[in-house]
Amino acid sequence: MTAAHARHDPSSIPDLRAVLRGQVIAPDDAAYDRARSVFYGGIDRRPAVIVRPTDASDVSQVVLLARETGLELAVRSGGHSLAGHSTTDGGIVLDLADMRALAVDPERRTAWAQTGLTAGAYTTAAGAYGLATGFGDTGSVGIGGITLGGGIGYLVRKHGLTIDDLLAAEVVTADGRLLHVDADRHPDLFWAIRGGGGNFAVATRFQFRLHPVSTIVGGLLVLPATPEAIDGFLALADAAPEELSTIANVMPAPPLPFVPAERHGRLVIMATLAYAGDVEAGQRVVAPFRALAAPIADLLRPMPYPEIYPPEEEGYHPTAVGHNMFVDAIDRARAEAIVEHLQASTAPLAVAQLRVLGGAMARVPADATAFAHRTSRLMAHVAAVYQRPEEAAEHRAWVDRLAAALRDGDARAYVNFLADEGAARIREAYPGPTRERLAAIKARYDPTNLFRLNQNIPPTKGAADGEGERRRR
Ligand SMILES: Cc1cc2nc3c(=O)[nH]c(=O)nc-3n(C[C@H](O)[C@H](O)[C@H](O)COP(=O)(O)OP(=O)(O)OC[C@H]3O[C@@H](n4cnc5c(N)ncnc54)[C@H](O)[C@@H]3O)c2cc1C
């Protein structure tokens, strides 16, 4: 703890303002209501203070403040936590939104990025060099949360998960130290932050590998959602060269200008395709998808990669229930179940999202990072978006029914798509050996579980000496 920090009263906002360089937003500030809001609706918490650090030293001060006061600490990058973990009632929000510096080294094809950047901002800036690192399907997601959980997006089959391009990170640990972690320095911590989420430290900067990705063949393809078309789509996506990654949302057609009015509200496959490779080859690869059924809309075209993130609606704060799973197949019977259940849903918006995986993601050994579900063929996510809180139970039951119809017996989930679903679901994200190793590393770096507002991995009792980790190395 620094002398400056020790002197001030942690509950005093003026004292905090005197110590920190960044913004300190208190409940009586005009900016408070906007600053406390997060992406998901239905989450209405009132933090004691929201701090927007400008550098790692501020971050360290805030971590020490949380430690000293015992106040709950919410760490926020893009604010898209499905579990509401990026805010707190009565605690401290450490919001990294003002830490958005990006330094691209086009020669070495690497970039140092502060963790307040969004996936969209990073992708646009790197795109100016014809380079990219893969994140997810949404530009407003923060690189902090998505990277620490794994990162599954439009380059997953070609270049792997986001963490497969993470070369190093700067992190502030629970004792306020700023550490540089990579394959050689603190390799245990570097292993843990690649999939283990925000359990271990606050990440202030990431160093990523960049790939040459300039013009892709991609965009939106809207097809009628029949079981045959779903089945056919997944078979094509699975057989396609790994340059192609796809995300298929089976859902009622939204009233978008390019969807004919008579289709609005009827079930469609809203698919985004991204072929990161030669343009002519890409055109050939996407052609059979167009031929699965007469497309309702076909926006596939050669385009600059950053356009994969279209502008987003301001002020969109959906309230949703969902269930995420990795599975090895969506066969014809499951495709039929998807259509039947979606037709039966009473939610204003219900969706089954299907992502065919494989390729580069699957080639990394399961124990190389804290993301173990490498060889799963598909990720499925079922969700219902609704408006009135009293509808929640009904939509929850619907989600559970469809999820049960799709799940394999061997339960596996992606940590970044978990809501507040309890310890059993966290165990589905971290199978036995991964969980044990994470818990031992947690005991070394955060023995008091200061970083607990996350998909939490409690520290192994008595493992703080890291004996298990040392034996492993
Ligand atoms: C609309 C939407 C689309 C999505 N699409 C995808 C997708 O295509 N692929 C995919 O892989 N995921 C996707 N996700 C899931 C997303 O990766 C997670 O919700 C992720 O945690 C969001 O990161 P964030 O920084 O925006 O969220 P935040 O709420 O800010 O952070 C989430 C959690 O991550 C931790 N955290 C964040 N930043 C830091 C940091 N710098 N240091 C330490 N801990 C930190 C904290 O525990 C925090 O509670 C999507 C989510 C949404 C809402």
Side-chain angles (χ1 to χ4, degrees), residues 140-187:
S140 57
V141 164
I143 66 166
I146 192 168
T147 304
L148 294 169
I152 304 177
Y154 293 118
L155 301 178
V156 66
R157 298 177 85 236
K158 173 77 175 155
H159 295 302
L161 301 171
T162 306
I163 49 171
D164 299 334
D165 283 328
L166 188 66
L167 301 171
E170 285 174 3
V171 302
V172 173
T173 47
D175 54 6
R177 278 183 304 158
L178 177 66
L179 300 181
H180 178 108
V181 301
D182 59 24
D184 300 318
R185 282 168 284 184
H186 307 283

Side-chain angles (χ1 to χ4, degrees), residues 58-142:
D58 268 5
V59 172
S60 171
Q61 294 278 359
V62 176
V63 167
L64 291 173
L65 176 69
R67 205 179 149 118
E68 183 185 339
T69 57
L71 289 173
E72 185 171 67
L73 178 66
V75 181
R76 182 189 305 173
S77 169
H80 280 57
S81 162
L82 280 71
H85 287 151
S86 35
T87 186
T88 157
D89 257 331
I92 305 168
V93 171
L94 174 60
D95 180 352
L96 295 149
D98 289 344
M99 290 178 56
R100 275 177 291 187
L102 176 68
V104 176
D105 184 338
E107 317 275 87
R108 289 203 174 87
R109 291 188 183 153
T110 59
W112 272 106
Q114 283 188 321
T115 50
L117 278 161
T118 61
Y122 178 105
T123 303
T124 301
Y129 300 90
L131 299 170
T133 304
F135 294 102
D137 67 359
T138 302
S140 57
V141 164

Side-chain angles (χ1 to χ4, degrees), residues 44 58 80 91 113 125 167 177 206 240 251 284 286 310 331 351 353 428 430 450-451 458:
D44 182 22
D58 268 5
H80 280 57
L167 301 171
R177 278 183 304 158
F206 292 134
M251 59 189 279
R284 281 196 298 277
V286 303
D331 53 16
V351 57
Q353 183 179 87
E428 293 184 3
Y430 302 118
L450 178 75
F451 303 119

Side-chain angles (χ1 to χ4, degrees), residues 22 30 49 71 98 126 138 149 169 224 242 313 321 340 343 424 429 443 447:
V49 65
L71 289 173
D98 289 344
T138 302
E242 62 195 46
E313 194 185 321
V321 282
E340 277 164 25
Q343 277 165 345

Side-chain angles (χ1 to χ4, degrees), residues 14 16 29 66 78 116 122 147 150 194 231 237 272 291 306 357 389 436 456 464:
L16 209 48
D29 288 337
Y122 178 105
T147 304
R194 285 177 291 159
D231 206 18
T272 303
L357 304 172
E436 283 160 26
N456 196 237

